[in-house]
Amino acid sequence: MRVLLDGTQCMFSADSIAAAIEQGVEQAHAQGRIVVQVDVDHQPMELEQLQDEAFTAGTADEVSITSLTEAELLLSSLDLGRSAIEVAQDHFNKAAQMIQSGNTSPGMNELSQGIDLWKTVEETVFREAVVQIRDSEIQLELNTHVENLRKALETIQASINAGDLVSLGDSLLYEFPDTSREWSDFLGRCALHLTEDRISEEPEDSRT
């Protein structure tokens, strides 16, 4: 059974998928890397398969493990966050247009999907990824943006509670895009900071 770590064949042998993953994870950790994906015979391994002892006790032709450094994982999270913010704003735009045209029920469904996305981004990107960036200015800016986001979402909730659909539509179409743009730009600056840090930490001879 071939075992690959980031495209390079591992020298150890494994008699089961479970053993291959365990040793691959150990090797990745020893290199300061975090495993983000496991492919078994070129198919991404699902969580249910990972928890299935009958499956992991078996063998395969190839187990391929993909890992990232901490910085690479953070950059990936920031990129996903920016994409999610764009999708959330699309939901808000559709919600506003539907509500303003009298299609309240589907509009509120679009709104709910947008809010759920924002909550996911806040929990996974803002609270788990950005807080790991070791820069005092970024952390201060993070607090400011989180407060602005809270106020923007409270404005939306207040309009919903009051049944003021006109105000709700205006908030989604004309006010919240500024919040989305603000956050997207901020995550872009976070990514630039991480990239510059990685370059500065590289040995000079590796940059030529």
Side-chain angles (χ1 to χ4, degrees), residues 5-23:
L5 176 59
D6 299 321
T8 300
Q9 185 165 352
C10 299
M11 300 306 294
F12 59 78
S13 60
D15 57 7
S16 69
I17 293 172
I21 294 172
E22 182 179 357
Q23 293 182 78

Side-chain angles (χ1 to χ4, degrees), residues 20 46 49 52 90 97 103 124 147 152 157 163 170 182 189:
E46 304 293 340
Q49 292 174 311
D52 184 349
D90 284 342
Q97 292 164 1
N103 297 318
T124 59
E147 179 64 18
Q157 189 61 53
D170 287 345
E182 173 185 297
R189 290 194 297 277

Side-chain angles (χ1 to χ4, degrees), residues 122-175:
E122 181 181 5
E123 292 169 1
T124 59
V125 181
F126 306 162
R127 299 187 183 279
E128 294 182 12
V130 178
V131 294
Q132 296 184 50
I133 299 175
R134 293 180 289 275
D135 183 87
S136 57
E137 290 185 7
I138 283 179
Q139 295 307 316
L140 286 173
E141 195 173 348
L142 171 64
N143 293 333
T144 299
H145 289 316
V146 167
E147 179 64 18
N148 290 343
L149 174 62
R150 184 186 64 81
K151 290 178 180 177
L153 290 174
E154 284 180 349
T155 297
I156 289 175
Q157 189 61 53
S159 297
I160 294 173
N161 293 342
D164 189 345
L165 298 184
V166 173
S167 176
L168 176 60
D170 287 345
S171 295
L172 297 175
L173 269 182
Y174 306 117
E175 296 175 15

Side-chain angles (χ1 to χ4, degrees), residues 175-190:
E175 296 175 15
F176 212 93
D178 289 337
T179 301
S180 297
R181 194 176 307 109
E182 173 185 297
W183 267 109
S184 184
D185 290 346
F186 173 60
L187 294 183
R189 290 194 297 277
C190 289

Side-chain angles (χ1 to χ4, degrees), residues 91-92 95 106-119 160:
H91 282 302
F92 283 176
M108 296 303 286
N109 182 56
E110 288 284 347
L111 174 58
S112 177
Q113 292 183 60
I115 291 175
D116 286 346
L117 259 179
W118 268 106
K119 288 179 178 178
I160 294 173

